Each structure stands twice: as C-alpha cells, then as structure tokens.
Amino acid sequence: MTPLRAALLAGLAAPVIYAVAVVAGDWFDPRYNAVANTISELTMVGAPSRVAVAAVFVVYNFLVIAFALALPRAMAGANRRGIAVAALLLIVVAAAGLGMSALFPTDMPGAPLTAVGTAHIALAAVASLGTMATVGAVAWATWRAPGWRGVAMLSVVCLAAIVATGLWTAATTAQLAPTMGLAERATIGSFEVWLFALAALVLRRQ
C-alpha cells in the first residue's frame, strides 16, 4: 500500500471512528442523553467517558491531518490553490479538535465559565468556522475542474446542511435547550458525511 492510499484510507476511517466513539460514549454514563447533552460533555472533567473518548478523538484528529496532507496530491486535477487552502483549513480544524478533547475540556453546562472552558469555546468556534471554510474551499476548487463535479456538488449540499444545522445548534446551545445535543450531532454529522464521501470519491479516482 502506498503512503498516499494509506492517508486517503485514514480519511475514510476517521468519520467511522468518530461515530463509534460518540455512540460508545453514551454507554459510560446512564445519565448522559444524546439528544440533550453535547458531544463535548463526553470529555469534560469528571465524565466517566472522558479518558476513553478523548483518546479516540485524538486518534480521529490525527487521521484527519493525515488525510488533509494527502489532498493536494490526490486532487491534483482540481484547482491547486483551492485544494491547498482546503487542506490547511482541515489541519486547523483537526488541531482545534485536538485541543478541545485533550487539553481544554468543556465546562459543565450552566456552570460558571473557567479559563479552560473559555478556551474550549474559542477552539470550538475555530473548528466550526474552519469546517465551513474547508467544505466551501473544496467546492470552489472542484466546481470547474474536469471530473470533479461530483465532489463539488457534494460539498455544496453538505455546506448548506452544515450552515442550516449550525444555526440550529447555536440557538439551542445559547438557550441550553433540551435538543442541543441533537442539533450539534446534526451539524457535526453533516461534516463527517462529507469527509467520508470525499475520501471515498478521491480513493475511487486513484
């Protein structure tokens, strides 16, 4: 197996690993509710799932970085500058994810903000904006590239889903609504679907 193919397979595996970690995290604490509680609460200080889920998230983010590093070469037929920007943005998103899960866990919802919790929120904002920018950059880089229209259309659809559900997430989180966990999962899930589909399409072209 070539290093390029291994890196693309990392992009295919990352969303699957993330989904498994999120689902499995629910099992550690019977009080945790996937509809009401955010994913970040799985790794907050004191959570029974913190160590296990944070470790998996670290692996996930390194897989995403490996995939991002392979994109410029794997998508050479697309707009070179656009793909380079997308790869860099994806690395930033993964780095923010590493910080959130391993170094700066979230505060308990409703509790006073701590310095660590504030850093978590800042990194979450970077990851959220970076996610949208990454998908948008790929859409722009592939829109007029021969043979890449499928990736462009996928990116446009997923970007629309991320923006729409992201607004829902922001509203429910601000109000600590009982559906904020579901809203967040819809937003992150839209990105993970895009990441998996992108990796699959790029692998198919190799």
Side-chain angles (χ1 to χ4, degrees):
M1 181 185 298
T2 64
L4 176 61
R5 184 170 180 80
L8 295 179
L9 286 172
L12 199 65
V16 177
I17 290 173
Y18 188 92
V20 170
V22 171
V23 173
D26 295 357
W27 302 340
F28 285 91
D29 188 352
R31 297 169 298 176
Y32 185 88
N33 186 313
V35 173
N37 298 111
T38 65
I39 294 173
S40 291
E41 290 176 61
L42 292 171
T43 57
M44 70 181 180
V45 175
S49 55
R50 169 164 171 71
V51 174
V53 175
V56 177
F57 283 174
V58 168
V59 173
Y60 160 82
N61 283 296
F62 276 117
L63 290 174
V64 172
I65 290 173
F67 177 65
L69 291 173
L71 280 182
R73 181 181 172 192
M75 300 183 69
N79 182 286
R80 184 171 299 179
R81 180 176 297 179
I83 293 301
V85 169
L88 179 59
L89 288 168
L90 191 54
I91 291 171
V92 170
V93 170
L98 284 170
M100 283 190 289
S101 57
L103 300 176
F104 303 101
T106 187
D107 292 321
M108 186 176 296
L113 274 178
T114 64
V116 171
T118 301
H120 181 93
I121 292 172
L123 288 171
V126 170
S128 178
L129 294 174
T131 292
M132 291 185 285
T134 300
V135 179
V138 171
W140 173 73
T142 55
W143 189 256
R144 294 183 178 180
W148 291 103
R149 181 53 67 91
V151 169
M153 294 302 297
L154 165 74
S155 300
V156 169
V157 171
C158 288
L159 179 58
I162 292 169
V163 172
T165 57
L167 293 173
W168 180 29
T169 300
T172 54
T173 302
Q175 300 171 4
L176 295 179
T179 56
M180 64 180 182
L182 179 62
E184 183 189 46
R185 281 163 171 77
T187 303
I188 296 176
S190 298
F191 173 72
E192 298 301 333
V193 167
W194 173 81
L195 183 61
F196 182 89
L198 175 65
L201 290 170
V202 175
L203 266 169
R204 185 179 178 182
R205 288 181 63 93
Q206 292 300 305

